[in-house]
Amino acid sequence: MSSVAVLTSGGDAPGMNAAIQAIVRVAASQGLDVAGVLDGYDGLIDGTSRPLTQRTEDGLIVPVPDVDSAGPLGGTILGSSRCPRFHEPEYRAQAAEHLRSLDAIGLIVIGGNGSIAGAHAIANEMEIPVVGIPASIDNDIGLTREALGVDTALNTIVEACDRISDTARSHRRAFIVEVMGRDSGYLAMAAAAATAADAVLLPEVSKSFDETVDAVAECIRDSLSASRKKRRTLVIKAEGVGIPTHMLVDEVEAQLEDIDNLEVRGTVLGHLVRGGNSSFRDR
Ligand code: F6P
């Protein structure tokens, strides 16, 4: 009986489970079984997988129960990994062996740019069709307008910034909020637009340490000036900007010590942004 294999790889992203569910539902409706490879390329190398389809008494192919309920959930029910071994041809050959033993007519890889590059290597080295589904909150995959996970991550960031803005306004404080994105400033840029942030720091705009501190200090000074009197100052910083957020907070405070009652706070949203039920768009 024909089957397709699916795996999730790299940093998990909301929407991966919705993609798995959609793949299984469509495959089952076409009379195909689906094998879920566990823990990304590690599972392909080590030969660990589980069936994502089952048979009814009438012989129909249907999704297994956890696939039926996985659609909204963040993370990935198949598990994921970053797999340095996959860069080495001998391990890719081992993975090819396991893929053959699954008797799969095709492989679907759900993941970010490294994972899609791995999918490309398999497609070049094996006689098997491979489909890559871009999924990464970083939104850094070539020729992809918006990867799975980006919409949910942005909604989480925007909600977090709205909450931070509530407390910032109450105390007339400045906040520097760091968001994930690896070397990409996309999440920071989009979130800054949506939250009407006062400034955004992006790795794509290269500034020295001193220039960055000066720019943030100037922004806060302007925001608190008698002519502006803003109660909230929000600076969104992409993680790819190579200054630790706590250090930036300290340096900016030191530069603005002439301002009475100045309070600058830093919040690193970190992995919080990667979890959570997927949004309508990511599903
Ligand atoms: O690629 C997704 C991502 O969340 C990046 O934004 C971040 O830099 C990285 O993964 C974090 O990786 P890890 O979960 O391995 O710490």
Side-chain angles (χ1 to χ4, degrees):
M1 193 47 77
S2 301
S3 74
V4 287
V6 58
L7 64 83
T8 49
S9 164
D12 56 280
M16 281 183 162
N17 283 328
I20 293 166
Q21 189 182 59
I23 289 162
V24 175
R25 283 164 60 96
V26 171
S29 75
Q30 301 299 306
L32 283 173
D33 278 306
V34 181
V37 177
L38 304 180
D39 301 323
Y41 289 118
D42 273 338
L44 208 54
I45 293 170
D46 299 330
T48 50
S49 65
R50 69 174 171 105
L52 300 181
T53 42
Q54 60 186 352
R55 305 286 154 142
T56 63
E57 283 161 9
D58 306 334
L60 275 180
I61 300 177
V62 294
V64 295
D66 72 325
V67 168
D68 260 336
S69 54
L73 305 178
T76 159
I77 57 167
L78 292 178
S80 191
S81 63
R82 306 199 189 275
C83 182
R85 289 189 295 168
F86 208 70
H87 294 293
E88 296 172 38
E90 71 186 270
Y91 286 110
R92 283 207 299 279
Q94 207 170 305
E97 205 50 42
H98 285 132
L99 197 52
R100 265 178 229 115
S101 72
L102 288 175
D103 219 10
I105 59 163
L107 171 69
I108 302 174
V109 173
I110 308 170
N113 47 17
S115 310
I116 302 286
H120 190 232
I122 299 173
N124 282 339
E125 292 168 12
M126 296 176 209
E127 298 280 299
I128 187 167
V130 182
V131 173
I133 299 182
S136 166
I137 63 165
D138 301 340
N139 212 26
D140 59 352
I141 303 164
L143 307 175
T144 303
R145 188 180 67 84
E146 189 174 293
L148 289 182
V150 173
D151 186 57
T152 307
L154 275 174
N155 283 312
T156 305
I157 295 170
V158 166
E159 188 188 341
C161 288
D162 286 350
R163 286 169 185 244
I164 285 170
S165 297
D166 290 342
T167 173
R169 279 190 204 96
S170 305
H171 292 266
R172 200 186 195 96
R173 281 177 177 159
F175 271 84
I176 300 173
V177 177
E178 180 184 306
V179 301
M180 272 191 170
R182 202 182 290 276
D183 301 323
S184 160
Y186 182 82
L187 288 179
M189 178 195 68
T195 56
D198 298 275
V200 59
L201 303 175
L202 305 171
E204 289 86 352
V205 181
S206 80
K207 275 190 171 15
S208 68
F209 182 91
D210 288 345
E211 285 169 338
T212 305
V213 173
D214 289 351
V216 174
E218 239 3 82
C219 164
I220 296 174
R221 188 182 289 287
D222 174 62
S223 178
L224 296 174
S225 65
S227 55
R228 294 298 303 272
K229 283 201 187 123
K230 290 188 75 171
R231 294 197 64 89
R232 176 210 77 163
T233 308
L234 178 64
V235 176
I236 300 188
K237 169 184 170 291
E239 82 168 319
V241 172
I243 305 176
T245 295
H246 65 89
M247 192 186 282
L248 186 57
V249 168
D250 290 348
E251 294 285 330
V252 167
E253 277 196 321
Q255 204 171 113
L256 297 176
E257 62 185 359
D258 57 300
I259 299 179
D260 287 341
N261 304 320
L262 175 81
E263 292 188 293
V264 184
R265 296 282 191 272
T267 303
V268 177
L269 296 182
H271 287 80
L272 199 123
V273 166
R274 226 162 72 184
N277 281 5
S278 50
S279 66
F280 163 74
R281 220 150 86 189
D282 280 332
R283 288 181 204 189

